[in-house]
Amino acid sequence: MMSLRRQFATLLLVLLAALWLAPRAHAAAGAYEAELPAELSTARDMCALVPCKDVFPGASHFSERKGQPPYVEAYDNDGAQKKLLGYVMLSTDITDTPAYSGKPVVTLIGMDTQGRFVGVKVLKHSEPILLLGIPESALLKFNAQYLGKSVSDKIEVGQSRPDENVLGLDAISGATVTVIAQNQVMMTSGSAVARQVGILAPTVREPARYVETGKRLTWAELVQQGTVQRLRVLPEQVGLDKGPDPFIELWFGDLNHPDLGKSLLGENGWNNLRLQLKEGEHAFFIIRTGGKESFKGSGFVRGGIYDRVQVRQGADSFTFRDLDALNLYGIEAAGAPSYNESVIFIIRSPAFSAAYPWKLSFLGNRVDRATGTRSFTSFDTPYWLPASTLQGGRPTIEEPDAPWVRVWKSRAVEIALFAVLLVAVGVVYALREKLTRLSTHKNKWPVNGFKYSFWALSIGWIGFGAMAQPSITQVLTWFHSLLFQWTWSLFLSDPFIFLFWIFIIVTVFLFGRGLFCGWMCPFGSLQEAIYKVARVVGLKRFQTQLPQKWHDRLKWVKYAVFFGLLVVSMFSMGLAEKLAEVEPFKTTFLVGVMNRAWPYSLFVAAILGVSIFIERPYCKYICPLGASLAMPSTFRWFGLKRKQDCNSCKACAVGCGAQAIDADGRIDHRECLHCLDCMVLYTDTKGCPPLAKERKRREKDGLEITPIGKNGYFIPIHPATVQDQISAKAAKGPDPRMPTTPAHPAHKAGSQGLRWVWLELVDHLWPWSREGWASRRALQIAGFSLAIAASVAWVMTAMGSLSSGAIIGWWFGWSVYEVLIRLSGKRYVKDGPWWRDQYRRAGVMDMLSYVGFKNLLIGAALFLAIKTLVGLA
């Protein structure tokens, strides 16, 4: 045994060494979150700030920015006989298409005078998978496929289809959304510039034909109609301290429409405006009603350029100079707000049409409060005249599918098969009692046949094929999205992961984490497969378990890892993603052990090596994903069955690979991996010692061998009772059917209807109790004071006086204290479905799980309520 401990300690040191060395072996992050010049978006001489020569070989001179959207011209020299070679463009000047991270990939693109791409360089990206999973060089190779192709080509990610004139690009496995978004960026940017310079035909939009009613509208009616829109930017959106006032608040709307123009400017004002507009020109107004920031920008002071606002319509962008601006002397619409800055802008391009949707963009810099770095960003508000204001209504527009939609469409068959697999797993597990009754301790194939098949599919298809291994980074992303900003497109971008998480969430609350962790997790299945194969090939005599006391200590490591990552993510999501390399999933399935630095490969090899001798060591002791799923498993609705004799019989505990059965025969569903071996023994008349004893007694006495009932005992022979089958020792022991000792809150006894609902709310929202007041009065008083402070903090957050980070700190502190308060008084949690009053005594982990999950939901609800109030305001 000492030798085994030394071997395990050695392997554990190897794991820790690999984890310590892995970040140091990582190459420079390259373009990941690279800091770009703050003035890049507005500087006239763009190529003085970025390496234009890298994307246009042979060019030695570049012009200043020109055109809308902006581009620069590339020349062979700067002399009198210079020759135009082509154009260089910055993708974010043209489109802000988000990639998987929700942020755009900032790309510098070179295009010759024939419209062929001659160079591509990624200046900045926020794709974590290209930092820690797939090497950044994969994106460079993907971009290299554009070289020599034309903006007039129909280019798509996937296979070429010559019959449809489609040129295909090889995708990056595991980063499909990223490359689909990048393709959209390349083609949109190239096409926009190509139309400007005459390589492609310009965009032609039918001019708007207005429906004129002669009705004068109030400001409120214009807002309700949608013909006046608001663009509002909050301080925290640009990295400043949260406050009661917005960073800037703008209202804007169309002025060409007779009804709108006359309602806003008055009859004379609108007629005067019309006299100043030429045929095909279009006017709209902007007023600033809040904030101290001006929409003019520094460029207006230097050269009469409004560099903070622009209009975008499709791939076209329209910016404004002082020559494109008229004074706005007043708003005539009744009920109009007061304002301190105003202008009427004129769009002179024939490409613009008010009949089509457009958006007003406010351009600025966001400061990362963690690092102090500044990054260019834009805030957009869409605008489209209502169908009732246009003759013939709104035109039909075919918008390109979002990247995530294209992914779902392109892999529809695989996605459907994956969904069928997940449903099949759920159905099979729901029928587990039928399968376990067909099995015996010597023949488990009715269960194992399904389980081994699912393992094989999980490893081969889900893991190495679809690369759909769930990860703790997704849990952290979900946590942050729930608290800060929920974005469906982010979660829908990987259909396999999206469906997998629906399966995980449903099954965790129904059965606990064991169905996913024990049956469907690709890496968990790989560990189990190695352990089983090693047993078959003759290594069984070397296989063992850690002593229970060491297991009971080491199992908490995974919870420490999870909480550590969660805390780090609150300060830096990027750092948390790097530390999430404690998961070997990317190296195993996404990149491959041969394609990563040696510490990563050593880490995976060490884990799988330990798996030969110890069943699922990573799952039991390190996995933060398992820990995050274990906490809600505390409240699973349906657990595995136990009977009274289990408190004295150790047969199931001896054979439990997860070591999830304690000395009293109770199952810890946070640790159980649902191998179902104990359920097989539960009805096995030869494998279960109490059943075997009763069977032999009946056979000896010539009594009927009745079937096994739902309670795990032989159905009684009249007039005998089940109690006759329970040993005297077991009858005096604890009830193993509950994870802990049953509890019976006196105040809930006999409550029904509205009183039951009220007491439920009180139980969840009021942690204090008479028992706690009597035993820990000082703790209760301090907790009450902290609760008042946390409530005040939420009010301050709603008023804009406290940042999101600060309120999370307050809420976390209150949650920790609530655990202590409940442990001193209301020390119970529910077991099974929430509508049943089946209570049990809460351990520390039970209470941490309950309070943590409850307060996460309450916090998310309060955040959503505050955002809704802010939006209404």
Side-chain angles (χ1 to χ4, degrees):
M1 182 60 71
M2 291 300 296
S3 175
L4 174 64
R5 291 180 185 176
R6 283 195 296 269
Q7 290 175 10
F8 183 77
T10 301
L11 289 170
L12 186 60
L13 287 174
V14 170
L15 295 180
L16 294 174
L19 281 173
W20 184 79
L21 288 167
R24 292 155 178 77
H26 196 280
Y32 180 77
E33 293 292 4
E35 185 175 354
L36 300 179
E39 64 275 19
L40 178 58
S41 62
T42 57
R44 298 299 300 166
D45 190 0
M46 182 183 76
C47 293
L49 303 176
V50 293
C52 293
K53 290 183 179 180
D54 289 359
V55 299
F56 214 114
S60 60
H61 177 69
F62 299 91
S63 71
E64 291 187 339
R65 269 189 172 109
K66 56 178 58 179
Q68 281 302 325
Y71 63 90
V72 300
E73 294 175 335
Y75 295 94
D76 59 350
N77 63 75
D78 59 353
Q81 302 298 319
K82 62 184 179 182
K83 178 183 178 182
L84 177 64
L85 301 178
Y87 314 92
V88 175
M89 65 213 78
L90 185 68
S91 64
T92 48
D93 282 345
I94 303 168
T95 178
D96 54 0
T97 302
Y100 179 77
S101 63
K103 301 177 183 179
V105 175
V106 183
T107 309
L108 197 64
I109 305 167
M111 180 179 69
D112 66 17
T113 55
Q114 304 302 311
R116 293 186 295 265
F117 293 111
V118 295
V120 185
K121 184 178 181 67
V122 174
L123 301 179
K124 178 182 178 180
H125 71 83
S126 304
E127 306 298 278
I129 193 63
L130 297 178
L131 173 69
L132 297 172
I134 299 168
E136 199 173 271
S137 59
L139 184 57
L140 303 182
K141 292 179 181 178
F142 173 81
N143 286 334
Q145 298 178 88
Y146 288 96
L147 303 185
K149 294 181 173 64
S150 172
V151 291
S152 62
D153 293 330
K154 191 174 182 181
I155 301 175
E156 294 182 5
V157 176
Q159 293 182 343
S160 296
R161 301 192 301 278
D163 55 324
E164 300 177 30
N165 296 320
V166 172
L167 296 179
L169 299 177
D170 294 332
I172 302 175
S173 295
T176 307
V177 173
T178 300
V179 296
I180 287 178
Q182 182 68 355
N183 182 58
Q184 191 170 327
V185 165
M186 291 290 297
M187 300 310 296
T188 300
S189 301
S191 298
V193 173
R195 288 192 180 93
Q196 278 195 79
V197 299
I199 297 174
L200 296 178
T203 302
V204 177
R205 299 182 178 93
E206 288 292 325
R209 292 175 297 142
Y210 303 116
V211 173
E212 186 175 359
T213 64
K215 183 180 179 182
R216 299 296 176 263
L217 304 172
T218 66
W219 182 265
E221 290 172 331
L222 290 167
V223 172
Q224 184 178 14
Q225 189 183 49
T227 48
V228 169
Q229 293 286 349
R230 181 177 68 168
L231 191 159
R232 194 167 194 255
V233 181
L234 300 177
E236 58 267 30
Q237 291 179 282
V238 292
L240 301 179
D241 291 333
K242 190 172 184 179
D245 299 320
F247 180 73
I248 191 170
E249 181 178 74
L250 305 175
W251 289 89
F252 63 98
D254 181 273
L255 290 176
N256 273 41
H257 193 292
D259 288 349
L260 307 183
K262 293 175 183 179
S263 297
L264 290 161
L265 304 180
E267 185 83 28
N268 292 333
W270 186 76
N271 288 331
N272 289 334
L273 173 64
R274 294 300 300 166
L275 293 174
Q276 300 179 69
L277 296 179
K278 296 179 182 179
E279 183 70 25
E281 293 182 342
H282 197 91
F284 71 98
F285 79 95
I286 298 178
I287 59 174
R288 185 186 70 183
T289 58
K292 297 180 180 180
E293 188 70 13
S294 171
F295 61 73
K296 293 181 179 180
S298 58
F300 180 78
V301 177
R302 294 195 304 267
I305 301 172
Y306 290 86
D307 59 6
R308 303 301 296 272
V309 291
Q310 66 178 221
V311 167
R312 296 180 181 179
Q313 189 170 58
D316 299 317
S317 297
F318 308 96
T319 55
F320 308 97
R321 301 179 59 87
D322 50 3
L323 298 176
D324 305 315
L326 301 174
N327 290 326
L328 175 63
Y329 295 106
I331 298 291
E332 296 291 327
S338 60
Y339 55 89
N340 47 28
E341 193 172 33
S342 63
V343 71
I344 294 175
F345 282 128
I346 301 173
I347 302 174
R348 305 188 188 278
S349 171
F352 181 85
S353 171
Y356 290 78
W358 53 278
K359 58 185 176 182
L360 178 68
S361 297
F362 176 79
L363 312 177
N365 289 298
R366 179 191 289 118
V367 179
D368 188 322
R369 302 187 67 177
T371 63
T373 58
R374 298 166 66 88
S375 60
F376 172 76
T377 187
S378 67
F379 302 92
D380 305 328
T381 296
Y383 188 95
W384 196 358
L385 287 173
S388 60
T389 65
L390 297 169
Q391 294 183 26
R394 288 174 169 176
T396 302
I397 298 176
E398 293 185 7
E399 294 285 352
D401 289 334
W404 70 266
V405 175
R406 297 170 66 182
V407 173
W408 281 74
K409 288 182 176 179
S410 65
R411 307 187 70 178
V413 175
E414 296 172 76
I415 295 168
L417 291 174
F418 184 61
V420 170
L421 172 63
L422 296 179
V423 172
V425 173
V427 171
V428 168
Y429 189 80
L431 299 174
R432 62 192 178 281
E433 288 191 39
K434 294 182 181 295
L435 297 176
T436 54
R437 283 178 176 270
L438 295 173
S439 306
T440 67
H441 69 291
K442 292 185 177 181
N443 178 22
K444 300 176 184 177
W445 277 104
V447 172
N448 289 348
F450 286 106
K451 190 166 59 176
Y452 292 175
S453 297
F454 294 145
W455 284 352
L457 289 170
S458 175
I459 298 168
W461 181 31
I462 300 175
F464 289 107
M467 300 182 183
Q469 167 72 62
S471 167
I472 188 61
T473 57
Q474 293 147 12
V475 175
L476 299 178
T477 301
W478 174 83
F479 177 79
H480 281 254
S481 297
L482 193 63
L483 291 181
F484 299 116
Q485 183 176 3
W486 185 270
T487 307
W488 276 109
S489 59
L490 176 62
F491 296 96
L492 289 165
S493 57
D494 191 323
F496 295 96
I497 292 295
F498 179 76
L499 292 177
F500 219 160
W501 272 107
I502 292 176
F503 170 84
I504 292 169
I505 292 170
V506 171
T507 57
V508 161
F509 283 100
L510 286 177
F511 311 116
R513 76 169 177 122
L515 181 54
F516 164 71
C517 294
W519 289 49
M520 291 299 291
C521 175
F523 193 78
S525 300
L526 181 60
Q527 291 178 86
E528 189 72 42
I530 289 173
Y531 183 82
K532 298 293 187 186
V533 170
R535 172 170 291 193
V536 172
V537 299
L539 297 178
K540 181 178 179 180
R541 63 183 181 277
F542 301 110
Q543 294 179 333
T544 187
Q545 295 179 335
L546 289 184
Q548 191 65 37
K549 67 176 183 179
W550 281 103
H551 168 82
D552 290 338
R553 294 169 182 171
L554 291 175
K555 72 181 182 182
W556 300 110
V557 172
K558 60 180 176 287
Y559 296 99
V561 173
F562 167 61
F563 281 115
L565 290 173
L566 184 61
V567 171
V568 169
S569 74
M570 301 310 300
F571 298 95
S572 172
M573 191 64 182
L575 178 58
E577 287 168 345
K578 294 178 183 179
L579 294 176
E581 278 295 327
V582 71
E583 291 182 323
F585 308 151
K586 297 185 185 75
T587 302
T588 305
F589 299 112
L590 201 56
V591 185
V593 293
M594 304 305 294
N595 299 322
R596 299 206 72 184
W598 67 266
Y600 295 100
S601 301
L602 176 62
F603 182 41
V604 173
I607 292 173
L608 298 182
V610 175
S611 299
I612 296 174
F613 308 103
I614 297 176
E615 192 171 358
R616 293 180 181 256
Y618 183 80
C619 303
K620 292 192 285 189
Y621 305 120
I622 304 175
C623 183
L625 175 62
S628 69
L629 300 179
M631 295 182 69
S633 296
T634 305
F635 316 109
R636 83 273 167 270
W637 288 3
F638 308 106
L640 301 181
K641 290 191 172 183
R642 301 270 80 196
K643 50 192 165 190
Q644 189 64 33
D645 274 292
C646 293
N647 63 23
S648 58
C649 172
K650 309 299 181 184
C652 292
V654 170
C656 180
Q659 296 177 255
I661 302 177
D662 66 13
D664 292 326
R666 290 167 168 161
I667 296 176
D668 184 348
H669 286 276
R670 287 187 293 266
E671 302 299 320
C672 177
L673 298 177
H674 291 201
C675 67
L676 298 185
D677 284 357
C678 62
M679 287 291 289
V680 171
L681 285 179
Y682 185 77
T683 55
D684 186 356
T685 59
K686 294 184 179 180
C688 175
L691 291 183
K693 179 180 178 181
E694 175 66 11
R695 175 183 57 80
K696 291 177 181 178
R697 184 188 71 82
R698 292 191 180 193
E699 288 176 344
K700 180 179 178 181
D701 295 342
L703 299 176
E704 179 185 0
I705 305 297
T706 56
I708 306 299
K710 291 183 178 180
N711 58 9
Y713 291 101
F714 286 101
I715 294 176
I717 303 172
H718 185 78
T721 65
V722 172
Q723 292 300 121
D724 296 333
Q725 301 178 44
I726 301 175
S727 67
K729 180 180 179 182
K732 296 178 181 179
D735 186 351
R737 291 170 294 185
M738 296 276 277
T740 54
T741 306
H744 305 284
H747 67 284
K748 293 294 292 291
S751 60
Q752 293 180 346
L754 292 177
R755 175 173 171 75
W756 182 88
V757 173
W758 170 251
L759 291 176
E760 279 287 298
L761 290 173
V762 170
D763 250 2
H764 293 310
L765 302 178
W766 189 262
W768 298 276
S769 63
R770 293 178 181 176
E771 296 84 353
W773 190 263
S775 61
R776 297 284 186 89
R777 181 167 298 183
L779 179 68
Q780 303 287 319
I781 294 174
F784 194 76
S785 303
L786 185 59
I788 294 174
S791 300
V792 171
W794 277 111
V795 173
M796 293 174 66
T797 303
M799 296 172 62
S801 303
L802 205 62
S803 67
S804 299
I807 187 57
I808 288 174
W810 273 102
W811 199 234
F812 180 80
W814 159 247
S815 298
V816 172
Y817 220 86
E818 184 181 350
V819 170
L820 299 176
I821 294 171
R822 288 184 178 274
L823 287 174
S824 67
K826 291 185 174 181
R827 189 164 186 160
Y828 54 81
V829 292
K830 281 192 175 184
D831 195 71
W834 61 269
W835 58 84
R836 296 180 185 171
D837 287 339
Q838 188 170 306
Y839 292 92
R840 61 182 178 84
R841 181 176 173 80
V844 174
M845 197 62 199
D846 294 325
M847 195 58 74
L848 280 172
S849 300
Y850 164 69
V851 172
F853 188 72
K854 171 179 70 73
N855 286 355
L856 172 63
L857 295 181
I858 293 175
L862 290 172
F863 264 107
L864 290 174
I866 290 173
K867 285 187 177 183
T868 302
L869 291 174
V870 170
L872 293 174

